[in-house]
Amino acid sequence: MIIAGVRFNPLIISLFVAFLGTLVHRATNGMSMSMDPSSHLGVLALVVLSWLVIARAQQSELRCLFDAQRCLAVKSNASAKLLSTVCDAACWLAADGSTILESDPRVDEVLGCKAQGTDFVCYLPDEEKKRFHMALVSAGTRHVLDPVVLLPSTLRGAGSRQYEMDLFIEDVRAEWDASEGRNLPGFLVGIRLAVPEQAASSFMTECDLEAPVKLLRRCDQIALESDAASSRNGETMSLPETLRSAQLPYPIFQTCTQEALHRALYSGTGDADVPTIECPLARDTVLATLELICNHALGGALVCIAEAKAFEHVFGAEVPNAACTRSSDQGYMTDYLRGIHVRDARFQDAFREFTRPTHNDRWPEDYPDELARGRPKDGAFLLSMDGYRVQCSAKLLGLAPVARWESVGTKHEAALACAWAIPGAFVFVKSDSGSLHFVQRAGTTLHVYQVES
């Protein structure tokens, strides 16, 4: 019956129900062993009805599982096609960050051998192994909405030839329960060949799965031709190639007046498309900071406002190469403004003196406070939502660039990185020339508002 297609579980359950029905019949008929034909038909009908009901429920469950598997297969196929437009190959690494659990044939072609089951780190030069491990650590400390980790590196392929690669690393270990003890995937690694321009130009129209392999072979050919030409000319070394700027997306740029931004932050009205701040304490801090930087900043300044726990989440991870802060003035401004609210006149006076331009960007040697003399006047102000400083004159280290902002300096780049990395952050940045911008993240988009007086 099982071979004929009858489901075993519903059949057993139906027979059990029939047995119970028989017992009930015997009990109601004084344990009599005889049953009239109508009773037999009733029991048979009960068996068939029970079987149909249970089979229907099981069929619905199996149909849902089939639809889910088909949906996952379609999504996986579409994701692979989309990934192929960014990466030339991809592989899955185990949670140890080394063992290759699964790879596509293009990875085998790049590495020159069957990659599955081998150690990915063994294909890296010695000087690249530590950087790769640090990239894995960085991938594990990212915020869930942050982009994947990009690591320019080198892989050793067939014949010990080295290829320049861009590795895209996504950590998926949080999706699994470590106690399951199975060999589950831990990292998805995308591989993009950094090919010479003359090699890529021959394959700009290629879109099949063999295009990366053809590119790889073309790279080998160009490298051999270059080596041969150098040997003929007696050259022993070549000039380094020019570094190219990172190709990052642009944020959304808008312009608004100070009054419009104030109204938008306070009540959601006005020309500026800024979400209203519901918390009265946080709203007062952001508005006070807007007034502070507009009315008291005499030069460049960077102020970031967020919850203290958000700063701790981003800068407090005690792992190698994680983002961190470092005081540029040995903690002078942080100690000086301890327990002073942003609306306090003492805070405003200190901020005004901190942003006052000097010829060497340091506190004057004749400044009244001897502790300040000669110390750098540089770094960001990090404020909590209740209006008190978390850290002042802070250098923000290790934040990855996420967007492109032309014709500005590192202070504005840091403002973009802060707004992206720190959850719920409000960032104000003012240049030495006096232009003021407000930066905020909305979902996966950065918004930059130029604030006009």
Side-chain angles (χ1 to χ4, degrees):
M1 295 179 70
I2 298 175
I3 298 177
V6 177
R7 293 180 179 85
F8 185 71
N9 290 341
L11 178 62
I12 294 298
I13 296 174
S14 299
L15 293 176
F16 180 72
V17 171
F19 177 71
L20 289 180
T22 302
L23 292 180
V24 171
H25 180 271
R26 293 178 61 189
T28 56
N29 288 275
M31 302 299 292
S32 174
M33 296 299 297
S34 62
M35 297 177 62
D36 54 38
S38 62
S39 299
H40 284 289
L41 292 176
V43 172
L44 180 62
L46 181 61
V47 171
V48 173
L49 181 61
S50 301
W51 184 85
L52 289 176
V53 171
I54 298 174
R56 175 61 180 172
Q58 193 175 47
Q59 177 67 26
S60 300
E61 181 180 356
L62 292 174
R63 180 67 187 184
C64 291
L65 290 175
F66 173 76
D67 291 340
Q69 289 178 339
R70 186 173 60 176
C71 182
L72 287 174
V74 171
K75 289 182 178 180
S76 178
N77 187 37
S79 299
K81 291 181 180 179
L82 185 61
L83 181 64
S84 66
T85 65
V86 180
C87 301
D88 300 311
C91 63
W92 285 97
L93 303 185
D96 60 5
S98 183
T99 305
I100 300 177
L101 298 179
E102 182 181 341
S103 64
D104 59 43
R106 293 170 292 177
V107 176
D108 301 340
E109 183 72 23
V110 171
L111 300 180
C113 65
K114 182 65 175 178
Q116 186 172 353
T118 61
D119 191 344
F120 185 83
V121 178
C122 72
Y123 300 107
L124 296 171
D126 292 338
E127 62 273 12
E128 292 293 317
K129 293 180 180 179
K130 183 176 180 180
R131 295 182 62 244
F132 178 71
H133 284 300
M134 292 301 100
L136 295 182
V137 173
S138 177
T141 58
R142 296 178 307 109
H143 189 267
V144 67
L145 295 179
D146 287 347
V148 299
V149 173
L150 170 60
L151 176 67
S153 187
T154 304
L155 288 180
R156 285 199 296 256
S160 298
R161 179 170 293 279
Q162 295 189 355
Y163 300 99
E164 299 297 324
M165 304 280 184
D166 290 331
L167 302 180
F168 298 86
I169 304 173
E170 172 65 13
D171 187 351
V172 298
R173 291 174 296 177
E175 304 297 329
W176 314 111
D177 184 1
S179 63
E180 295 180 9
R182 293 182 294 169
N183 201 14
L184 297 171
F187 299 90
L188 173 61
V189 178
I191 302 174
R192 182 175 63 190
L193 294 170
V195 299
E197 186 175 350
Q198 60 266 41
S201 61
S202 303
F203 298 97
M204 289 300 292
T205 59
E206 297 279 4
C207 59
D208 61 320
L209 294 178
E210 295 299 320
V213 177
K214 297 175 184 177
L215 277 171
L216 190 66
R217 294 170 180 167
R218 178 58 177 154
C219 288
D220 288 342
Q221 180 183 353
I222 291 175
L224 291 174
E225 293 174 355
S226 177
D227 293 343
S230 298
S231 300
R232 290 193 301 268
N233 297 331
E235 298 177 359
T236 58
M237 60 182 299
S238 60
L239 293 175
E241 295 184 359
T242 302
L243 289 176
R244 298 182 179 180
S245 298
Q247 299 301 309
L248 300 172
Y250 287 100
I252 297 177
F253 292 97
Q254 303 178 55
T255 302
C256 65
T257 63
Q258 179 182 344
E259 292 76 12
L261 180 60
H262 189 285
R263 290 195 302 270
L265 292 171
Y266 185 80
S267 60
T269 60
D271 300 331
D273 184 19
V274 180
T276 306
I277 306 175
E278 301 296 338
C279 176
L281 188 62
R283 181 171 61 239
D284 180 71
T285 298
V286 174
L287 295 178
T289 304
L290 174 62
E291 297 171 5
L292 174 75
I293 204 166
C294 287
N295 302 331
H296 299 282
L298 303 180
L302 172 60
V303 183
C304 179
I305 308 161
E307 295 287 353
K309 290 183 178 180
F311 287 123
E312 183 68 22
H313 170 74
V314 176
F315 297 113
E318 296 182 359
V319 294
N321 287 2
C324 63
T325 63
R326 186 174 300 162
S327 176
S328 63
D329 62 356
Q330 296 77 50
Y332 167 72
M333 284 299 293
T334 302
D335 293 337
Y336 185 83
L337 294 176
R338 182 188 304 275
I340 301 178
H341 195 267
V342 67
R343 286 196 178 277
D344 194 301
R346 292 172 296 173
F347 194 107
Q348 298 169 358
D349 293 340
F351 186 79
R352 185 186 304 109
E353 293 301 320
F354 180 84
T355 58
R356 186 186 299 276
T358 59
H359 72 283
N360 59 355
D361 292 331
R362 292 177 176 269
W363 291 90
E365 294 294 341
D366 59 350
Y367 191 71
D369 188 349
E370 295 182 0
L371 293 177
R373 294 175 182 176
R375 297 184 186 271
K377 301 170 68 173
D378 190 20
F381 277 62
L382 307 182
L383 304 182
S384 64
M385 287 296 187
D386 57 4
Y388 294 94
R389 93 311 168 252
V390 174
Q391 190 173 8
C392 302
S393 189
K395 293 184 287 186
L396 310 178
L397 308 176
L399 292 178
V402 294
R404 187 189 314 181
W405 194 346
E406 305 288 357
S407 303
V408 295
T410 56
K411 189 184 277 88
H412 292 71
E413 298 282 358
L416 289 177
C418 278
W420 180 267
I422 303 173
F426 300 88
V427 184
F428 294 92
V429 57
K430 187 174 184 179
S431 65
D432 294 330
S433 62
S435 63
L436 173 63
H437 292 84
F438 171 66
V439 187
Q440 189 179 32
R441 176 178 177 175
T444 58
T445 307
L446 280 172
H447 295 262
V448 178
Y449 301 85
Q450 182 175 352
V451 183
E452 299 179 343
S453 57

